[in-house]
Amino acid sequence: MRSPLSSRVGRACVAAVAIASAALGATAASAVPPAQAEAEADAEAVTLVATADSFTRRDAPSAGFGSRESWSVDRGPAVKRRSYLKFVLPETATGSVVESVTLSTYATRNGTSAGPGPTVRRTANTWSEDGLTWSTQPTLGASAATTASPYPGGSWVSWDVTASLTDTERAEGGEVSFVLTTAEQKRLAFRSRESGRPPVLTVTTAPEPPTEEPPTEEPPPVTTE
């Protein structure tokens, strides 16, 4: 399961899923991937599967976990975990603009969060699934989204990460990486791309609004005496 996978939702509306969003990117849980949420008639959604995912552990600074079927975050006193996700964004077609970008991951059945849940941050792309360890992990970047409410295990959890992307990333695409951390002193586990429910990034685009031309001013009439 090491090759990227993508699927198009198309222009028609599909089964609606309630996804609550806040300014920093609120989270929501559902039984199906949020990529299947209702879309606007003129919007097009592309769902991208993570091209790499893994986690690190402070108590095992040289260990790698890229082949596991789950990854997790934890801020427990004994074990501290961070998780890294990487995606490849497509180039946005001429005449379209990116409306939203949503990160979705599937919490394991014992991965219930009572809050505050994970925080999603941007990070550098200078890591690989096979080489990532606590000692080699990139530094934490700016916060991209926070978890707005508790969520149950065995469900999808999503974050709006649109604002974290640069204009160049939205237009030209390319690799983007996220790191998830938490202040919760509990192991919060999610399915990896090696499982049947990999992390996905849903990019929704829409036609670019037409540019309004300023009204043409008519020259004043010429009068003769």
Side-chain angles (χ1 to χ4, degrees), residues 108-148:
T108 62
R109 294 193 179 277
N110 60 352
T112 299
S113 169
T119 295
V120 181
R121 297 178 178 273
R122 289 299 305 273
T123 191
N125 296 317
T126 56
W127 63 277
S128 66
E129 189 173 76
D130 295 334
L132 182 69
T133 67
W134 184 270
S135 298
T136 65
Q137 64 187 348
T139 58
L140 303 180
S143 176
T146 56
T147 303

Side-chain angles (χ1 to χ4, degrees), residues 8-44:
R8 292 188 176 272
V9 176
R11 295 181 180 273
C13 295
V14 292
V17 177
I19 301 179
S21 296
L24 275 177
T27 187
S30 62
V32 296
Q36 296 180 1
E38 183 176 349
E40 295 181 5
D42 292 333
E44 183 176 87

Side-chain angles (χ1 to χ4, degrees), residues 60-174:
S62 300
F65 306 97
S67 61
R68 300 288 183 91
E69 292 192 357
S70 66
W71 47 264
S72 56
V73 294
D74 192 346
R75 198 185 174 87
V79 178
K80 188 173 183 179
R81 302 169 187 247
R82 296 174 181 171
S83 288
Y84 288 76
L85 309 177
K86 185 180 291 186
F87 299 86
V88 177
L89 293 174
E91 182 178 357
T92 300
T94 302
S96 297
V97 293
V98 173
E99 283 197 332
S100 66
V101 181
T102 303
L103 173 65
S104 303
T105 61
Y106 192 83
T108 62
R109 294 193 179 277
N110 60 352
T112 299
S113 169
T119 295
V120 181
R121 297 178 178 273
R122 289 299 305 273
T123 191
N125 296 317
T126 56
W127 63 277
S128 66
E129 189 173 76
D130 295 334
L132 182 69
T133 67
W134 184 270
S135 298
T136 65
Q137 64 187 348
T139 58
L140 303 180
S143 176
T146 56
T147 303
S149 61
Y151 58 82
S155 64
W156 287 94
V157 184
S158 65
W159 298 267
D160 182 354
V161 296
T162 311
S164 73
L165 300 181
T166 66
D167 291 342
T168 300
E169 288 172 333
R170 297 187 197 195
E172 300 179 7

Side-chain angles (χ1 to χ4, degrees), residues 2 53-55 57 64-71 81 129 187 191-195:
R2 293 187 175 271
D53 59 2
S54 188
F55 66 96
R57 290 177 52 169
F65 306 97
S67 61
R68 300 288 183 91
E69 292 192 357
S70 66
W71 47 264
R81 302 169 187 247
E129 189 173 76
R187 178 174 172 267
R191 294 297 182 191
S192 74
R193 74 190 191 102
E194 283 76 20
S195 72

